[in-house]
Amino acid sequence: MNKFESHLGYTNMFKEEQLTLGIYFPIESYKGSIPEMQLEQQMQLAKKAEEARFASLFVRDVPLNVPRFGDVGQIYDPWVFLGYLAAHTKKISLGTGSMITTLRHPLHVAKAAASVDRISGKRLVLGVATGDRPSEFSAFSVDREQRGELFQESLQVMRKVWNEDFPVIHSPSLNLQGGDLLPKPELKDIPILVTGHSSQTPEWIAKHSDGWLYYPRNIIDQASLIQQWRTLTDEFKPFNQSLYIDLSENPDEDPTPIHLGFRSGYKFLIEYLNALKGIGVNHLAFNLKYGTRPVDEVIQELGEEVVPYFPALSNK
């Protein structure tokens, strides 16, 4: 029995041998690091994606604008933005790709995540990561060399305070005794996806996460990684990845590479997604940053021509 079988966010996105699709915020194309992020337009596009049966909408946690890294994500604090997004959508999964737990106190992350999961009706899928930008670690006075240990501690603390009443926890970051965290998730847990390796071994990730969130790579290397992942898990734990696309107006256009993805027509995109499904990818979220067409046209075309092959799984 899957512990998340009644969790809407999980069941929208994940089923063995199935592939579903999502979109990263900002849902727009832009040059440079900073998107426009016009909120009314973003919510209209989010609703359009939900109506088209995309399975998820993902936000990112980028604490600071560091220009040389080239992208600040959706600008707004991810927890605040997720609350706003939850109020403007109904069923679509809300994902984080990913929350930088090493830069946040684990009790704050646990409370925020539980709040969003409650407010949204069990729709949060919590992607977590250690982070890797040295300037952010120094800004928050966090020892970057300790990020692996801090990451492990964060996951252990969150799971304990979600599941137990008045737990006692003594760790390097907290000394919890005589207090309790509220609200708790309705299921006393939230699906957690570990991003990349997050300074952990694949064995640790397989044991302590509910799925793996990885980066786009060539299909042969990705297939090998997924095969390894499946040998480490006794039960189904989904494999997820992102993909940058520039959807051509010509449905027959062959692919040309762009950063972490490609430009092509929708026919090749469907072929490529079927290949990823064949190697065991369970969820893929598009990033439209490098697109050259109006984004509402892209969402419309994806919804009409691509998503019907890989729709959200709840009430399929």
Side-chain angles (χ1 to χ4, degrees):
M1 177 178 174
N2 188 310
K3 63 181 177 178
F4 295 119
E5 66 180 7
S6 65
H7 188 277
L8 182 58
Y10 185 96
T11 56
N12 266 337
M13 294 172 64
F14 303 131
K15 188 176 182 180
E16 199 164 3
E17 298 182 353
Q18 296 291 326
L19 172 67
T20 59
L21 302 175
I23 304 178
Y24 271 90
F25 283 99
I27 309 176
E28 63 182 276
S29 59
Y30 56 100
K31 297 184 184 298
S33 300
I34 303 175
E36 182 179 344
M37 278 300 292
Q38 205 284 325
L39 282 177
E40 183 177 354
Q41 180 192 47
Q42 293 293 299
M43 292 306 107
Q44 288 173 350
L45 292 169
K47 292 175 183 178
K48 192 169 187 175
E50 183 172 51
E51 291 166 2
R53 297 202 64 189
F54 279 86
S56 74
L57 296 166
F58 267 80
V59 305
R60 294 170 60 197
D61 183 14
V62 184
L64 299 173
N65 176 19
V66 182
R68 70 187 184 89
F69 287 106
D71 195 0
V72 299
Q74 79 280 340
I75 298 178
Y76 297 101
D77 176 87
W79 294 122
V80 175
F81 191 72
L82 282 166
Y84 189 75
L85 184 58
H88 284 80
T89 54
K90 296 177 180 178
K91 293 184 177 181
I92 197 165
S93 304
L94 308 179
T96 62
S98 294
M99 198 61 60
I100 309 303
T101 61
T102 52
L103 302 180
R104 297 170 179 267
H105 195 283
L107 291 178
H108 286 144
V109 179
K111 188 175 184 74
S115 299
V116 169
D117 198 55
R118 280 276 187 175
I119 289 168
S120 66
K122 296 183 292 187
R123 287 193 282 149
L124 179 65
V125 174
L126 182 62
V128 292
T130 56
D132 57 7
R133 301 181 178 187
S135 55
E136 292 179 344
F137 282 87
S138 61
F140 287 91
S141 295
V142 174
D143 183 354
R144 186 169 177 266
E145 298 304 311
Q146 297 298 313
R147 63 191 185 278
E149 292 85 350
L150 291 169
F151 183 79
Q152 288 189 11
E153 178 194 38
S154 182
L155 267 62
Q156 292 162 1
V157 168
M158 287 192 293
R159 286 257 160 85
K160 194 171 183 68
V161 298
W162 288 337
N163 184 62
E164 298 180 19
D165 296 328
F166 294 92
V168 175
I169 307 174
H170 302 292
S171 74
S173 295
L174 69 155
N175 184 16
L176 178 61
Q177 188 169 349
D180 195 18
L181 183 123
L182 296 174
K184 296 188 185 297
E186 186 175 330
L187 300 180
K188 299 295 182 74
D189 204 355
I190 294 171
I192 292 179
L193 310 179
V194 170
T195 306
H197 284 85
S198 290
S199 301
Q200 313 302 323
T201 65
E203 290 78 8
W204 189 94
I205 297 168
K207 181 178 180 180
H208 295 280
S209 78
D210 302 302
W212 207 357
L213 179 56
Y214 216 79
Y215 310 102
R217 305 194 304 170
N218 74 71
I219 201 161
I220 295 174
D221 289 342
Q222 203 75 310
S224 177
L225 185 69
I226 294 169
Q227 287 174 2
Q228 178 194 21
W229 172 246
R230 300 299 180 210
T231 67
L232 298 173
T233 56
D234 295 329
E235 58 185 319
F236 170 64
K237 292 191 176 185
F239 186 93
N240 314 261
Q241 71 163 75
S242 58
L243 182 70
Y244 285 75
I245 61 168
D246 177 13
L247 191 67
S248 169
E249 291 180 336
N250 176 5
D252 296 304
E253 184 172 326
D254 290 331
T256 54
I258 62 174
H259 177 66
L260 295 177
F262 53 81
R263 170 184 169 86
S264 78
Y266 75 77
K267 291 183 179 180
F268 173 81
L269 179 59
I270 292 171
E271 292 178 13
Y272 184 78
L273 293 172
N274 273 316
L276 292 181
K277 178 181 177 181
I279 66 169
V281 176
N282 302 113
H283 185 75
L284 180 146
F286 295 122
N287 193 312
L288 305 179
K289 181 182 191 304
Y290 301 111
T292 53
R293 292 173 59 189
V295 70
D296 57 337
E297 290 182 12
V298 173
I299 298 297
Q300 182 78 22
E301 187 168 313
L302 289 171
E304 292 175 354
E305 305 293 349
V306 180
V307 177
Y309 294 95
F310 314 97
L313 296 170
S314 292
N315 300 318
K316 183 175 178 181

